[in-house]
Amino acid sequence: MSKLIKRQKIRYRIRKKVSGTAQNPRLAVFRSNAEIYAQMIDDVTGVTLAAASSKDKEIAAQKGTKSEKAKLVGAAIAKKATALGLTSCVFDRGGNLYHGRVKSVADGAREGGLQF
């Protein structure tokens, strides 16, 4: 079984348990080889409330490692969420292990004021 298929199965298992609402959205993290993306999603209506990625101009202009940029992505998504009046969310690691860049996004979001 390939690594991609294993990760997909883990994603489905996580998504069975984790679901976001308008007041408590899902913070979904997608990690590619070069970039990292985060979205606040209301699964009831199927709407993305806020999004941030390492491709955003302010973050892409920064120098640093991918983990440092991931932390900035977490802080950016937290800032956008608090602007919308959101303080809590549920974390969706997207089938990735909770370490490295995925953990950095979570740490940045927590430092930005999100509760999960």
Side-chain angles (χ1 to χ4, degrees):
M1 191 181 310
S2 76
K3 189 187 282 189
L4 196 66
I5 293 170
K6 278 185 188 174
R7 197 180 131 256
Q8 194 69 17
K9 284 188 171 195
I10 295 168
R11 266 189 73 223
Y12 292 149
R13 202 174 322 133
I14 292 168
R15 286 289 291 121
K16 266 194 255 182
K17 297 172 186 164
V18 175
S19 182
T21 63
Q23 296 306 312
N24 198 28
R26 174 168 58 99
L27 174 55
V29 175
F30 175 75
R31 182 190 62 127
S32 72
N33 284 341
E35 310 290 344
I36 193 150
Y37 307 84
Q39 290 184 335
M40 298 288 275
I41 303 168
D42 174 7
D43 288 312
V44 176
T45 56
V47 174
T48 298
L49 305 172
S53 78
S54 54
K55 286 185 168 182
D56 294 349
K57 283 182 184 165
E58 316 83 56
I59 297 168
Q62 300 280 332
K63 294 276 187 245
T65 63
K66 288 193 256 188
S67 289
E68 289 164 357
K69 286 188 178 187
K71 196 165 194 172
L72 293 173
V73 169
I77 194 82
K79 186 177 170 187
K80 289 178 181 180
T82 50
L84 292 170
L86 302 168
T87 55
S88 66
C89 66
V90 289
F91 191 74
D92 176 6
R93 59 192 171 91
N96 298 301
L97 293 176
Y98 184 79
H99 80 110
R101 290 192 283 155
V102 175
K103 187 174 187 290
S104 293
V105 170
D107 292 343
R110 284 196 184 101
E111 286 173 19
L114 282 177
Q115 305 272 310
F116 57 90

